[in-house]
Amino acid sequence: MKILNFRVQLILVLLVLYQINTYVSAEKRNHQERRTYIIHVDESTMPASFSDHQTWYYSSLKAAADSAEILYSYKNIIHGFSTRLADEEAESLERQPGVLSVLPEVRYELHTTRTPEFLGLEKIDVHLLDSTSTTDVIVGVLDTGVWPESKSFDDTGLGSVPSRWKGECEVGTNFSSSNCNKKLIGARFFYRGYEATFGPIDESVETKSPRDDDGHGTHTATTAAGSAVSDASLFGYAAGTARGMSTQARVAAYKICWLGGCFGTDILAAMDKAIEDGVDILSMSIGGGSSDYPRDITAVGAFTAMTKGILVSCSAGNGGPGSGTLSNVAPWITTVGAGTLDRDFPVYVSLGNGKNFSGTSLYSGKQLPDAMIPLVYAANVSNTTSGNLCVAGSLIPSKVAGKIVLCDRGGISRVQKGLIVKDAGGVGMILANTDVFGEELVADAHLLPASAVGQKAGEAIKAYIISDPNPTATIAFAGTQLGVQPSPVVAAFSSRGPNPITPQILKPDLIAPGVNILAGWTGKAGPTGLQDDTRRVSFNIVSGTSMSCPHVSGLAALIKGSHPEWSPAAIKSALMTTAYTTYKNGATIQDVATGLPSSPFDFGAGHVNPVSALDPGLVYDAGIDDYLEFLCALNYSSDIIKRVSSTNFTCSSDKTYSVQDLNYPSFAVPLQTALGSGESGATTTVKYRRTLTNVGTPSTYTVSVSSQTTAVKATVEPESLDFSIINEKKSYTVTFTASSMPSGTVSFAHLIWSDGKHTVSSPIAFSWT
């Protein structure tokens, strides 16, 4: 019996040991799982024993991870490479001499006509622009690729490709070198980071070439610099001539985004090539949240681009209307929010009780009959708790068939809700905003008769459904309406300030049209992007800060063509200081999310005004040294500064650096609430220094400050600046003396320099914490 008990105990011990070993082995395997890293090195520390950087990279990698392979080598945007590593391998590599940082891969997302007339571009005298300089400007678009057959890439009338261009038209699936021309002068694709995460691209689903399967890249590229195309529309909506912001500029497309997203290694490789190719503007309608500058590969890449004279324009993000939701906030990036046009696509929803509500839609199929149709609320005809959102499988067909269904917005895409209603037997859909979206209306090319309505209308329709035993409705479509007022208004989805990384830098920088924008589209996908959408269009109407970003990219190209000697900071300053913040009646631009006046945390310097931006009078210029001193003010060490700037720079111990002294065209003034009382008599005094450069005729400018609050006194010294020659620089100081206010209080002001002809305007944002 004792022997038997011993054997049983031995077996139990062995089983326990086996389970522990299995657990440890599993943990070890998990620990060994590899992920993608970007390795940034100090090129100057390469040992003399290596003949080139590539050999050095390979040797360093093999010392840390014998089986790892290099995905990309970078030589322009940073010096370094990307690879797949286990955690301990990454730690080992980071300890090697000359390695500045080892950053984990970040997955980025896309921030998903009438615009030229709305912006007043037809008022610009083309004879005042140097046509040769304008056609020499090259806009690089990092996105989902390009559909080269789009008429917006017609190169009729364009001269030879600029001789400095070093790019190429890469050959891939369904894409040859002949797909490029004198308008679309380059196209590349970057996929190694994507494949390292998801495995080989499924070429039955995605095209392994610069060809655009999604439509987003073609839309942004043609918005920025598409050629003029007459008789453009989406199903007859927004009919007219579609043209980019800079029709004479050249386009270079860099495909970095795939079905699974946009990956940092691919983005960095594309920026690296774009610099080498010779672009003047980089347009990036992507975002991956906010990170400190050394860990933000877009910020790191944009810094190098700035040193090469390249303006980088990025979308602010679609995280609005919540505060502090911005991405791409580095001060050397132009951060663009979204506003509306004065164009709408009205729809009228009529209820059985005689009430009527306005909505919007781009539906173009068979219309509903004039007779009233039974109306139901999705939550009442569903078998799930989220039935109000019309998600897949949530609707009961027997209760939906032949009826119009009211769905709440959110959870899944707006057009997908309509398809779910249609598949359940519904004949129409009313898409109601919730409080998150307020009264913002975004038009979609629905697959069944459908209308989006604001939150107030949605609540009224729900109340009718509850109160009437047999509710009915119908939907009527009214085409395209121009001259809609007020316009612009800030889009509810547009991400807002304050700046989550550096509160002393006001972001976004400005807003541009980003709602219901007509531009070129891919022939691979329908206007909704749904797999079930078999329709094919040449132009599509899309919304997002993804759309506002290329507007500014194209306008920057226009200014670059007119003023080729201007720095990226000067071009951004021209766009910001000439932007407008009020309507013709003097009222402040509205926020559609609230229906109330918006603020610089919503629109930055204001809505872009390209006609004035071509002749701003004065600019706030900045160069490499200004931004390096900004990094010193953030208390960055020389090592961290090198991670951001790829520059050897040591902050002087004899100099006091101040974040607020960066020569920026706007002011953000964070203030402290006095301890013990939000209303005490304690005051805070801060000084901001700025330098203006004359880019116009000799003139004398005088300053004025208008403010919403009496809690802050602003004193400007001197009060006038006399400029006698071009490129002359004059400095001034603004002293803000602020009383304590309760924590969370915000207020705003404007500082304006004017010579009677030019108005050089800067927003000021005060915030107490």
Side-chain angles (χ1 to χ4, degrees):
M1 180 65 72
K2 289 181 179 179
I3 294 174
L4 181 62
N5 288 338
F6 174 78
R7 287 177 177 174
V8 171
Q9 290 174 358
L10 180 62
I11 291 171
L12 289 173
V13 169
L14 290 173
L15 285 171
V16 170
L17 290 173
Y18 174 79
Q19 289 176 333
I20 291 172
N21 183 63
T22 302
Y23 175 79
V24 170
S25 298
E27 283 296 294
K28 189 173 182 180
R29 284 196 301 272
N30 289 337
H31 193 56
Q32 292 291 336
E33 286 181 359
R34 286 182 166 176
R35 52 179 175 158
T36 306
Y37 288 88
I38 296 169
I39 291 73
H40 189 181
V41 305
D42 182 350
E43 61 166 337
S44 66
T45 63
M46 184 182 77
S49 57
F50 295 103
S51 59
D52 59 67
H53 287 89
Q54 190 70 19
T55 308
W56 177 36
Y57 298 160
Y58 186 79
S59 176
S60 300
L61 177 59
K62 291 303 176 184
D66 184 60
S67 62
E69 297 294 334
I70 291 175
L71 296 174
Y72 292 107
S73 292
Y74 308 110
K75 62 180 180 180
N76 299 300
I77 208 77
I78 63 168
H79 290 279
F81 59 95
S82 55
T83 187
R84 299 276 289 178
L85 299 169
D87 291 346
E88 58 265 38
E89 292 170 340
E91 292 169 3
S92 173
L93 187 57
E94 194 164 25
R95 290 193 294 268
Q96 291 191 20
V99 175
L100 292 172
S101 64
V102 177
L103 298 178
E105 172 114 89
V106 174
R107 180 174 176 270
Y108 289 70
E109 298 285 353
L110 296 165
H111 285 151
T112 178
T113 195
R114 173 135 176 98
T115 311
E117 289 81 1
F118 181 71
L119 293 176
L121 290 180
E122 82 286 353
K123 299 175 185 176
I124 296 175
D125 186 350
V126 294
H127 300 293
L128 295 178
L129 304 178
D130 184 334
S131 59
T132 302
S133 295
T134 304
T135 59
D136 278 350
V137 178
I138 302 165
V139 181
V141 182
L142 276 64
D143 214 292
T144 64
V146 67
W147 190 260
E149 292 81 8
S150 171
K151 292 180 181 179
S152 296
F153 297 120
D154 183 5
D155 64 356
T156 302
L158 289 174
S160 300
V161 174
S163 58
R164 62 187 172 84
W165 175 245
K166 298 181 178 64
E168 64 180 78
C169 208
E170 290 184 348
V171 175
T173 306
N174 295 325
F175 206 97
S176 69
S177 58
S178 62
N179 284 124
C180 292
N181 58 15
K182 291 181 289 185
K183 164 58 79 171
L184 178 63
I185 64 173
R188 297 183 184 272
F189 60 113
F190 302 84
Y191 58 88
R192 294 175 194 166
Y194 178 54
E195 284 194 333
T197 300
F198 285 103
I201 289 171
D202 182 353
E203 295 198 57
S204 68
V205 179
E206 298 188 85
T207 308
K208 200 170 181 178
S209 77
R211 187 166 289 279
D212 183 9
D213 299 317
D214 179 271
H216 192 278
T218 302
H219 198 280
T220 56
T222 56
T223 297
S227 299
V229 181
S230 59
D231 300 321
S233 73
L234 172 64
F235 304 134
Y237 290 104
T241 298
R243 60 172 75 88
M245 297 297 97
S246 184
T247 57
Q248 298 298 302
R250 317 301 177 114
V251 174
Y254 299 84
K255 184 175 180 178
I256 56 165
C257 297
W258 306 81
L259 281 178
C262 323
F263 288 80
T265 48
D266 297 328
I267 295 168
L268 206 60
M271 296 179 79
D272 198 72
K273 271 297 182 186
I275 288 177
E276 184 178 306
D277 290 345
V279 303
D280 299 294
I281 310 291
L282 272 176
S283 186
M284 302 173 62
S285 293
I286 56 175
S290 294
S291 302
D292 289 342
Y293 307 127
R295 303 186 66 82
D296 182 347
I297 64 103
T298 303
V300 171
F303 193 101
T304 302
M306 174 274 299
T307 67
K308 308 291 185 182
I310 300 167
L311 182 141
V312 180
S313 171
C314 292
S315 46
N318 295 344
S323 63
T325 51
L326 294 161
S327 57
N328 302 316
V329 297
W332 47 88
I333 290 174
T334 302
T335 310
V336 189
T340 63
L341 296 172
D342 63 342
R343 179 180 64 199
D344 199 5
F345 310 104
V347 177
Y348 302 106
V349 177
S350 300
L351 305 182
N353 62 2
K355 292 186 177 180
N356 298 286
F357 299 94
S358 296
T360 190
S361 180
L362 297 168
Y363 174 72
S364 64
K366 183 179 179 181
Q367 304 289 304
L368 290 174
D370 293 335
M372 287 291 180
I373 298 168
L375 172 66
V376 293
Y377 180 36
N380 300 335
V381 290
S382 172
N383 52 18
T384 69
T385 55
S386 59
N388 63 307
L389 298 175
C390 295
V391 296
S394 65
L395 300 178
I396 301 171
S398 61
K399 295 184 178 182
V400 170
K403 298 174 183 177
I404 294 174
V405 181
L406 175 69
C407 302
D408 286 330
R409 184 174 166 184
I412 59 174
S413 75
R414 300 180 299 271
V415 289
Q416 191 175 1
K417 292 175 186 286
L419 181 61
I420 290 168
V421 169
K422 183 179 180 181
D423 288 345
V427 297
M429 177 182 71
I430 300 170
L431 183 61
N433 281 358
T434 59
D435 56 357
V436 174
F437 305 101
E439 298 307 305
E440 175 186 58
L441 297 181
V442 179
D444 294 296
H446 290 283
L447 291 165
L448 85 170
S451 174
V453 297
Q455 180 193 7
K456 294 177 183 177
E459 294 299 330
I461 297 170
K462 290 173 195 175
Y464 163 64
I465 293 172
I466 293 171
S467 64
D468 194 302
N470 296 297
T472 58
T474 191
I475 305 171
F477 302 87
T480 303
Q481 179 183 357
L482 303 179
V484 174
Q485 297 300 329
S487 63
V489 296
V490 178
F493 60 75
S494 187
S495 290
R496 316 301 174 96
N499 187 329
I501 303 299
T502 313
Q504 299 93 331
I505 302 297
L506 182 62
K507 290 282 182 169
D509 290 314
L510 72 173
I511 62 171
V515 179
N516 297 336
I517 304 301
L518 178 76
W521 198 246
T522 178
K524 186 76 178 290
T528 64
L530 297 176
Q531 190 173 358
D532 296 281
D533 190 353
T534 59
R535 301 171 297 178
R536 294 296 179 263
V537 296
S538 298
F539 295 87
N540 198 8
I541 294 172
V542 190
S543 300
T545 55
S546 278
M547 284 63 248
S548 54
C549 167
H551 276 87
V552 168
S553 305
L555 295 174
L558 198 67
I559 296 172
K560 179 75 172 178
S562 183
H563 303 284
E565 75 284 3
W566 284 9
S567 70
I571 294 172
K572 175 162 74 170
S573 174
L575 290 164
M576 289 176 64
T577 61
T578 58
Y580 63 91
T581 62
T582 61
Y583 303 119
K584 291 179 180 179
N585 63 4
T588 301
I589 291 173
Q590 283 187 17
D591 181 354
V592 73
T594 63
L596 301 173
S598 53
S599 78
F601 283 152
D602 307 319
F603 55 61
H607 191 282
V608 67
N609 181 3
V611 179
S612 297
L614 284 166
D615 179 24
L618 306 173
V619 295
Y620 292 88
D621 205 357
I624 301 171
D625 289 344
D626 297 284
Y627 294 117
L628 290 173
E629 293 188 357
F630 165 78
L631 297 177
C632 288
L634 295 177
N635 294 319
Y636 283 4
S637 66
S638 296
D639 179 64
I640 295 178
I641 289 175
K642 189 155 194 175
R643 294 184 202 177
V644 177
S645 67
S646 297
T647 302
N648 287 313
F649 187 83
T650 301
C651 306
S652 173
S653 58
D654 298 327
K655 185 172 182 178
T656 301
Y657 299 97
S658 176
V659 174
Q660 56 259 36
D661 285 347
L662 177 65
N663 202 38
Y664 214 69
S666 58
F667 298 84
V669 187
L671 299 163
Q672 295 292 320
T673 296
L675 294 176
S677 172
E679 301 286 354
S680 77
T683 60
T684 302
T685 300
V686 290
K687 290 187 177 183
Y688 284 59
R689 296 172 180 83
R690 294 290 189 269
T691 299
L692 286 162
T693 302
N694 181 37
V695 293
T697 55
S699 193
T700 298
Y701 287 78
T702 56
V703 72
S704 62
V705 178
S706 59
S707 180
Q708 295 177 351
T709 180
T710 58
V712 182
K713 179 183 178 182
T715 304
V716 183
E717 295 179 350
E719 295 182 348
S720 66
L721 298 172
D722 186 27
F723 295 92
S724 56
I725 58 174
I726 194 77
N727 294 325
E728 184 177 7
K729 296 180 182 294
K730 299 276 187 176
S731 298
Y732 70 93
T733 300
V734 188
T735 302
F736 298 106
T737 304
S739 302
S740 180
M741 295 290 286
S743 180
T745 301
V746 296
S747 191
F748 305 96
H750 273 86
L751 183 150
I752 297 173
W753 290 95
S754 178
D755 65 348
K757 176 184 177 183
H758 304 95
T759 299
V760 185
S761 180
S762 296
I764 306 171
F766 305 112
S767 55
W768 284 263
T769 55

